[in-house]
Amino acid sequence: EPEVTQTPSHQVTQMGQEVILRCVPISNHLYFYWYRQILGQKVEFLVSFYNNEISEKSEIFDDQFSVERPDGSNFTLKIRSTKLEDSAMYFCASSALTEQYFGPGTRLTVT
Amino acid sequence: QQQVKQSPQSLIVQKGGISIINCAYENTAFDYFPWYQQFPGKGPALLIAIRPDVSEKKEGRFTISFNKSAKQFSLHIMDSQPGDSATYFCAASKTGGGNKLTFGTGTQLKVEL
């Protein structure tokens, strides 16, 4: 069964450093998403992406965040200058249309 | 108007019992209502979803009931099993690709022997 994969599973970084979180969406899906989940809290939408453009972004997705589809398989989330409050689980999701399927997540710890 | 409210926050059910989790939404533009199951350290897994043209959808032991006029929907887990112990999130969105899911706050379900 096709699934969304994410790397790394855990990333530790120092405040102010840049991180890139990587995702491989399900191969025939056209829509891609990033969500985050702070420990013990609900899942929050960050951004959606279609046809090499951002479709929608939340107020969390400020100028320090960017997304890219550098090739035909990967979808990345870059945080330019990490803050302590960026510590969370980051989930990539993809969809052919409405139904979104999530990856296992990357736990980002900012120290 | 974008919120999805979920209750209860936690739930303990005996093996074989019925687990019921409730959600309410505000945005009448929402027309897709999925439930996700999340185990510790894992990503949310799509469990079952409903659209407002039906009032109920059943898949195995899992049933969604939908009340459009009340803007509420609920998940029923029949014959609950210890393996169902997980966090359950309701969500809502508009139909179509690229639309964000708005999640509820989650319900931690524990099924005891």
Side-chain angles (χ1 to χ4, degrees), chain A residues 91-102:
Chain A
F91 294 107
C92 173
S94 70
S95 69
L97 197 61
T98 302
E99 294 184 347
Q100 295 183 27
Y101 295 89
F102 284 71

Side-chain angles (χ1 to χ4, degrees), chain B residues 52-94:
Chain B
D53 52 342
V54 295
S55 60
E56 187 174 282
K57 183 174 181 180
K58 184 176 181 180
E59 289 184 3
R61 296 185 294 109
F62 300 92
T63 300
I64 301 179
S65 297
F66 186 82
N67 185 330
K68 187 174 180 178
S69 61
K71 293 187 285 185
Q72 294 175 347
F73 57 109
S74 60
L75 176 70
H76 292 62
I77 306 173
M78 313 300 287
D79 187 26
S80 299
Q81 299 296 313
D84 297 330
S85 297
T87 300
Y88 292 82
F89 290 94
C90 63
S93 78
K94 299 178 198 176

Side-chain angles (χ1 to χ4, degrees), chain B:
Chain B
Q1 210 184 12
Q2 291 292 324
Q3 280 191 355
V4 176
K5 296 180 181 178
Q6 184 172 347
S7 63
Q9 186 174 352
S10 62
L11 182 60
I12 299 175
V13 172
Q14 296 299 308
K15 180 175 181 284
I18 302 173
S19 304
I20 301 174
I21 305 170
N22 301 297
C23 282
Y25 64 98
E26 299 169 349
N27 188 346
T28 54
F30 290 150
D31 59 359
Y32 171 70
F33 303 91
W35 285 89
Y36 284 84
Q37 179 188 57
Q38 186 180 32
F39 293 105
K42 304 294 184 184
L46 180 60
L47 195 59
I48 185 173
I50 197 168
R51 288 180 168 81
D53 52 342
V54 295
S55 60
E56 187 174 282
K57 183 174 181 180
K58 184 176 181 180
E59 289 184 3
R61 296 185 294 109
F62 300 92
T63 300
I64 301 179
S65 297
F66 186 82
N67 185 330
K68 187 174 180 178
S69 61
K71 293 187 285 185
Q72 294 175 347
F73 57 109
S74 60
L75 176 70
H76 292 62
I77 306 173
M78 313 300 287
D79 187 26
S80 299
Q81 299 296 313
D84 297 330
S85 297
T87 300
Y88 292 82
F89 290 94
C90 63
S93 78
K94 299 178 198 176
T95 297
N99 289 312
K100 67 179 182 183
L101 287 167
T102 299
F103 280 84
T105 48
T107 296
Q108 200 162 4
L109 171 66
K110 183 176 181 181
V111 181
E112 292 184 335
L113 292 169

Side-chain angles (χ1 to χ4, degrees), chain A:
Chain A
E1 183 176 320
E3 57 183 20
V4 177
T5 60
Q6 290 185 244
T7 54
S9 57
H10 191 191
Q11 174 92 45
V12 181
T13 189
Q14 288 189 330
M15 196 168 50
Q17 294 298 303
E18 175 183 286
V19 294
I20 298 175
L21 310 183
R22 291 181 168 81
C23 167
V24 178
I26 294 172
S27 62
N28 63 340
H29 285 183
L30 300 176
Y31 301 90
F32 315 116
Y33 314 80
W34 285 101
Y35 293 81
R36 80 173 186 189
Q37 185 179 33
I38 295 171
L39 186 63
Q41 297 186 23
K42 68 177 179 179
V43 179
E44 298 176 291
F45 169 79
L46 292 177
V47 66
S48 60
F49 191 85
Y50 170 72
N51 199 25
N52 283 317
E53 289 185 353
I54 290 175
S55 304
E56 185 176 0
K57 60 182 181 179
S58 72
E59 60 275 9
I60 302 169
F61 194 89
D62 60 22
D63 291 345
Q64 70 164 337
F65 290 90
S66 62
V67 289
E68 191 177 32
R69 187 151 164 85
D71 54 43
S73 59
N74 289 283
F75 179 51
T76 63
L77 174 69
K78 181 192 289 187
I79 309 175
R80 288 189 184 82
S81 177
T82 50
K83 304 172 188 171
L84 293 175
E85 54 264 37
D86 293 328
S87 295
M89 282 290 286
Y90 287 81
F91 294 107
C92 173
S94 70
S95 69
L97 197 61
T98 302
E99 294 184 347
Q100 295 183 27
Y101 295 89
F102 284 71
T106 292
R107 177 170 298 283
L108 177 64
T109 302
V110 183
T111 62

